[in-house]
Amino acid sequence: AKSDPDGSYRFYDPNIQDSRAERRALEEALRSALDKREFELFYQPILDLGTNRMWGCEALVRWKHATKGMIPPLQFIPTAEESGLIGPIGDWILEEACATAMTWNLPLKVAVNLSPVQFKRRDVYASVTKALTLSGLPAQRLVLEITESVKLTEEATASLRRLKTLGVGISLDDFGTGYASMSYLRSFPFDKIKIDQSFVRGMMESSGSRAIIKATIGLANDLRMSTTAEGVETQEQLNALRVAGASQAQGYLIAKPMPREALEAFMTEIQNP
Ligand code: C2E
Ligand code: CA
Ligand code: CA
Ligand code: CA
């Protein structure tokens, strides 16, 4: 494998055409990370704008690398998808998130990201129900976030429908960034639309972003779906989203993603302010 000056392999970089050997090195490292339990889930609180209380948390995976420190998901999820390792890694994420949510003092929701590739590698219905059974978490507390990156197959849609019947919530993530947002909405009765942070980021300056947010919320209302605005960083944005009628807000203004121990402290604090 081609090495960095420090002798280690390079991580996935979308700008570089990785050599096959480099990719294999990262795959090998991911496999061993799974064995050594080097993955960790962070949790980002989501605020319910109706009640002004916590709605739940989104689980976000990190790789706690022995020498490289905390590696963000965008640097290894693509390779995990290409190599098929997203199967076992995704199963671990589901089981860990459900087990953690089960330890919370409040019956908050936990939102888990599902890679579209997981459907090719796993019987997602079986993986999710296993995580629920192992943890004892009620299905109503689990929400799955699906991005609009890949066309949902008949099989994937069928799995999601069965999970929905159990009470699991299904969200359409990063809404508006793909090129098939509308056909996605038509292909499955999602419970929630997550408004991508790129629209929220520009909303105070750009009337175009505001128009898209407003239209998305209107569309979601008509389709009986709720909305979460992502990437909320300022009070101004939060106020405007409230006025626009978003159901929930998520972003650094409310809280950054944090380890489960920090989240416990955060929840205790908001319960006893
Ligand atoms: P996402 O699902 O859209 O997750 C939201 C991302 O936005 C997270 O980045 C979060 O840390 C970040 N974020 C939250 N609030 C703010 C804010 O106010 N400002 C800014 N600038 N950023 C904010 P993260 O954790 O690096 O995750 C990136 C992406 O990696 C996720 O995007 C998701 O697509 C993927 N990912 C993360 N965890 C998982 C996982 O467990 N499984 C799968 N399949 N994908 C995951
Ligand atoms: Ca997400
Ligand atoms: Ca998102
Ligand atoms: Ca995203």
Side-chain angles (χ1 to χ4, degrees), residues 44-58 106-109 143 191-192 194 226-229 232 235 238-239 241-243 245-251 253-255 266 270:
Q44 185 175 33
I46 299 173
L47 181 70
D48 189 314
L49 295 177
T51 61
N52 245 339
R53 287 166 180 269
M54 251 175 101
W55 170 85
C57 292
E58 178 175 359
L106 302 169
L108 301 176
K109 310 251 194 198
V143 176
D191 299 291
K192 183 191 295 297
K194 295 196 79 171
S226 61
T227 46
T228 302
V232 181
Q235 188 64 50
L238 185 67
N239 296 343
L241 287 162
R242 222 187 266 283
V243 171
S247 324
Q248 286 105 26
Q250 174 181 1
L253 176 71
I254 295 134
F266 181 89
I270 57 157

Side-chain angles (χ1 to χ4, degrees), residues 122-181:
R122 281 288 187 273
D123 176 347
V124 169
Y125 180 84
S127 291
V128 172
T129 49
K130 184 175 173 215
L132 291 172
T133 305
L134 285 175
S135 62
L137 188 77
Q140 289 72 17
R141 289 184 56 197
L142 178 64
V143 176
L144 301 174
E145 298 194 357
I146 323 267
T147 55
E148 46 181 337
S149 54
V150 169
K151 191 177 184 316
L152 283 177
T153 60
E154 286 287 328
E155 216 184 341
T157 312
S159 295
L160 292 177
R161 273 182 205 280
R162 287 173 72 200
L163 289 168
K164 216 174 124 89
T165 309
L166 294 182
V168 174
I170 314 287
S171 298
L172 181 51
D173 205 354
D174 299 348
F175 183 76
T177 60
Y179 44 79
S181 305

Side-chain angles (χ1 to χ4, degrees), residues 182-248:
M182 293 306 161
S183 67
Y184 247 77
L185 273 186
R186 207 176 41 186
S187 68
F188 187 78
F190 292 94
D191 299 291
K192 183 191 295 297
I193 292 175
K194 295 196 79 171
I195 302 170
D196 191 68
Q197 42 186 283
S198 56
F199 301 110
V200 175
R201 193 171 304 131
M203 72 180 289
M204 302 320 297
E205 297 78 32
S206 145
S207 57
S209 290
R210 280 198 303 278
I212 290 167
I213 290 174
K214 200 176 151 207
T216 304
I217 294 170
L219 181 62
N221 288 342
D222 288 350
L223 294 169
R224 306 260 180 283
M225 298 175 187
S226 61
T227 46
T228 302
E230 294 190 278
V232 181
E233 294 186 353
T234 70
Q235 188 64 50
E236 223 185 351
Q237 292 166 344
L238 185 67
N239 296 343
L241 287 162
R242 222 187 266 283
V243 171
S247 324
Q248 286 105 26

